[in-house]
Amino acid sequence: MEVMLSYLSIGDFSRATHMTVKTLRHYHRIGLLEPAGVDPHTGYRQYTADQIPIAQVIRRFRDLDMPLEQIQAVLSAPDLTTRNERISAHLTRLEDELGRTQRAVSSLRNLLSPSASQKEPRIELRSLPATPAAAIIDIVDAGSGAAWAQGALGELTATLTAQQLHIDGPPGGIFGDSIFTEHRGQATIFLPCTGTVRPVGRVTELEIPAVELAVIEHTGSPADVDHAYGALAEFVARHALAVDGPLREYYLVGQRDTLDTTQWRTEVGWPVFRAAAG
């Protein structure tokens, strides 16, 4: 029986893996991560969901400053023992020479050797109505996005408190494609609220549009949220019809609640088209 593959455009693959389109094109040119197919007429690259774990491994290696040549050597290793020896040698150099954090090393090893007990991620389709909110909108670099979001959220909370407006749900974020494909683009942090927001400083009143989303919950540090994005992209490619539109995040538990990042809970939403309510 022939298996039908579900393809992701280079833009969707970029969003799923948090690699820029420029990076993916470069990796294709050097043979490190080749697309599953290239349209002979348009030249558009296509990827499969099965390539997401490989991209995540490459990204972890780059986070650990492994040169591209060494990454190619690891991925082309003739057997598991050789691959692990090459990985271990680089990790030892990092620990001895660069003093990298244990979190980055642990994240890499988890990708290489996932636990057999790991459960399938729970993903649901959700219809969200239009929601009035206070919001801050800006052009943001991906590298400083987390700090910007925390500052924006603090400003929103202070403004709503000062204006005696009721917070009506968890804070959220809306992120344009270029945040993922170019690592710079428009980002919105918002707080749902009841009542009329009086604009002050960066804070403005905004109606968050209604949307259909495929939603996954990520537990833990934002540094590992690309795992959730990858699982969500695979689900959408196989089971739903993706539509153009910014991705969303909802911060159920975050820095404002606890400094223990293992307790943080973030919902990630990918826009989809639903033929019928269900």
Side-chain angles (χ1 to χ4, degrees), residues 184-204:
R184 178 176 173 81
Q186 181 170 293
T188 301
I189 295 296
F190 64 87
L191 259 180
C193 63
T194 302
T196 301
V197 178
R198 299 191 304 275
V200 56
R202 299 187 299 168
V203 178
T204 186

Side-chain angles (χ1 to χ4, degrees), residues 34-254:
E34 298 186 5
V38 178
D39 189 294
H41 303 293
T42 65
Y44 290 162
R45 297 166 172 85
Q46 293 180 313
Y47 297 80
T48 67
D50 291 338
Q51 293 179 283
I52 292 173
I54 297 298
Q56 291 175 333
V57 168
I58 292 172
R59 187 169 179 267
R60 286 298 183 281
F61 281 136
R62 292 301 293 151
D63 286 344
L64 294 172
D65 289 338
M66 181 179 281
L68 295 178
E69 295 81 3
Q70 291 186 23
I71 296 176
Q72 286 180 312
V74 169
L75 297 180
S76 62
D79 53 61
L80 183 62
T81 299
T82 302
R83 185 194 72 178
N84 287 342
E85 287 175 352
R86 292 173 180 175
I87 294 169
S88 296
H90 185 70
L91 292 178
T92 299
R93 285 194 297 271
L94 288 175
E95 291 165 349
D96 293 344
E97 300 171 8
L98 304 177
R100 289 293 192 185
T101 66
Q102 188 59 42
R103 184 198 60 79
V105 175
S106 177
S107 180
L108 171 59
R109 287 178 174 160
N110 285 339
L111 281 173
L112 294 172
S113 304
S115 169
S117 63
Q118 287 180 348
K119 298 179 180 179
E120 286 294 319
R122 181 175 180 272
I123 298 174
E124 66 179 64
L125 298 178
R126 188 180 299 172
S127 298
L128 298 181
T131 305
I136 292 178
I137 306 170
D138 207 344
I139 301 299
V140 178
D141 291 320
S144 60
W148 174 84
Q150 288 300 326
L153 182 54
E155 189 172 339
L156 290 169
T157 302
T159 299
L160 293 184
T161 299
Q163 296 186 14
Q164 298 182 330
L165 297 177
H166 175 67
I167 297 174
D168 196 21
I174 302 176
F175 304 98
D177 281 356
S178 60
I179 285 282
F180 305 95
T181 60
E182 305 295 339
H183 283 189
R184 178 176 173 81
Q186 181 170 293
T188 301
I189 295 296
F190 64 87
L191 259 180
C193 63
T194 302
T196 301
V197 178
R198 299 191 304 275
V200 56
R202 299 187 299 168
V203 178
T204 186
E205 187 175 40
L206 181 68
E207 182 175 80
I208 308 304
V211 70
E212 305 281 348
L213 296 174
V215 179
I216 188 173
E217 182 176 304
H218 167 70
T219 300
S221 167
D224 297 321
V225 75
D226 60 321
H227 296 184
Y229 272 83
L232 193 57
E234 180 175 357
F235 174 88
V236 171
R238 295 184 186 277
H239 304 293
L241 178 62
V243 298
D244 290 336
L247 273 65
R248 292 195 189 184
E249 293 182 352
Y250 287 90
Y251 310 111
L252 307 184
V253 179

Side-chain angles (χ1 to χ4, degrees), residues 1-17:
M1 179 178 177
E2 184 178 357
V3 178
M4 297 296 294
L5 293 177
S6 299
Y7 289 98
L8 298 168
S9 68
I10 193 171
D12 280 350
F13 196 75
S14 170
R15 298 201 301 181
T17 60

